[in-house]
Amino acid sequence: MSEMPPPAPNRWRVLALWLAGIALVGAAGALLAPSPTAPDTARGTEPVELGVELGVELYAPVVAARAVPNLTGLPEASTFSTVANAPQDATTEEIPDGQLVHPTTPVPVFDQPGGAAIAVLPITQLGSDTWVPVIADEPGWVQVLLPSRPNGSTGWLSTQDNTLTIRSTTDRIVIDRAAFRLTLYRDHQQIGTWKVGVGTPAAPTPAGRTFVLASMTDATQKFSPVIFPLGIHSASYSTYGGGPGTTGIHGWPAADVFGRPSSDGCIRVPADALATFTNPSDPVPIGTPVLIR
């Protein structure tokens, strides 16, 4: 098995956050005990509460005094929306390190740490729990990829309110458009590689960093038993059949579409690739980072 290039360095400064929490506790004089989280059944993922992992429950005495932003009128950070003021992802060739976060309640998305609220990140997306990749962090904050338009949208989430759950995955998906190839890595080892169909020159598959947004079935179509929408959109179409123009990974009944530009922007994969993605004992987790070159 071939080895995947190292992902982006893990940016979690756990010790710094812990020490900052202890300092705050010394000033506030209170410490809350963390609550354990049940283990996740998906391979390669170990969910823990952010308050446990990073010691942010130590911030609780201070959080009580923080102002709650007014979320009225803010767009939902989903595949159906546009977040006009979202910061753009500055890195396009570096795979995120596999840290994922899930909001346990709808949470505000900020344009910078301590900045303005620009959107609301919902609990679910297209029927799946919302899991978004972390691409940077500062004490009390994480920057994540968003599934909204424009492509490359990011935002900052507060880790100070115990509203996020964190887990990590070693799964990575790399799509090479020029080679018409999709490769799945796990634990830095190649699990499988397949010839795929990508977008035509008139409707190219968008490049950049994104993630597996959801896993869904659609009874109105017959081309794929399962579809994996990604957190990225077509630059050529505003909609696919009335939807939001979300780019996805899905199957196709005819083999002649693989190894060439053959789609309207989605990635068409053979049946054995879908079987690997949906293997009941080792499924690809929602939130898995995807790099499209």
Side-chain angles (χ1 to χ4, degrees):
M1 295 188 293
S2 65
E3 185 170 348
M4 187 185 75
N10 190 325
R11 302 178 177 88
W12 295 98
R13 296 186 289 274
V14 176
L15 180 58
L17 288 171
W18 183 263
L19 292 175
I22 291 176
L24 288 172
V25 169
L31 174 64
L32 298 182
S35 301
T37 302
D40 191 27
T41 56
R43 184 203 177 279
T45 62
E46 296 182 358
V48 292
E49 295 296 334
L50 269 177
V52 177
E53 178 74 4
L54 302 180
V56 295
E57 286 199 282
L58 299 174
Y59 287 88
V62 177
V63 169
R66 293 176 65 242
V68 177
N70 184 0
L71 306 184
T72 303
L74 291 178
E76 188 175 69
S78 77
T79 191
F80 295 94
S81 68
T82 296
V83 181
N85 297 326
Q88 280 289 291
D89 186 13
T91 305
T92 59
E93 290 293 331
E94 188 178 84
I95 302 177
D97 65 12
Q99 299 289 333
L100 312 174
V101 293
H102 163 64
T104 57
T105 187
V107 297
V109 180
F110 297 87
D111 60 357
Q112 60 183 321
I118 56 174
V120 179
L121 187 66
I123 302 172
T124 61
Q125 306 260 353
L126 299 174
S128 297
D129 284 347
T130 297
W131 287 96
V132 290
V134 174
I135 59 173
D137 76 286
E138 292 188 8
W141 299 87
V142 289
Q143 186 181 20
V144 300
L145 295 177
L146 297 177
S148 314
R149 289 183 185 266
N151 288 341
S153 292
T154 75
W156 289 87
L157 309 178
S158 171
T159 62
Q160 303 168 59
D161 301 324
N162 295 322
T163 54
L164 301 177
T165 299
I166 187 172
R167 72 182 182 189
S168 64
T169 178
T170 64
D171 283 21
R172 307 286 191 278
I173 297 170
V174 177
I175 298 164
D176 187 327
R177 297 179 302 174
F180 309 107
R181 182 175 61 242
L182 181 150
T183 304
L184 171 64
Y185 296 94
R186 180 171 290 150
D187 296 325
H188 305 295
Q189 300 298 315
Q190 181 178 300
I191 297 299
T193 186
W194 299 271
K195 281 290 185 181
V196 299
V198 300
T200 64
T205 299
R209 305 199 291 185
T210 185
F211 58 99
V212 175
L213 178 63
S215 174
M216 58 181 291
T217 57
D218 179 4
T220 65
Q221 55 79 34
K222 300 184 183 301
F223 57 82
S224 186
V226 61
I227 299 170
F228 294 95
L230 302 178
I232 201 167
H233 296 79
S234 169
S236 304
Y237 297 101
S238 60
T239 181
Y240 291 134
T246 307
T247 297
I249 298 172
H250 60 71
W252 199 257
D256 61 354
V257 303
F258 306 130
R260 66 184 183 89
S262 58
S263 78
D264 286 329
C266 288
I267 300 93
R268 296 172 172 176
V269 302
D272 57 334
L274 284 183
T276 300
F277 276 41
T278 58
N279 183 342
S281 62
D282 292 313
V284 170
I286 303 303
T288 294
V290 177
L291 177 62
I292 304 176
R293 294 185 171 129

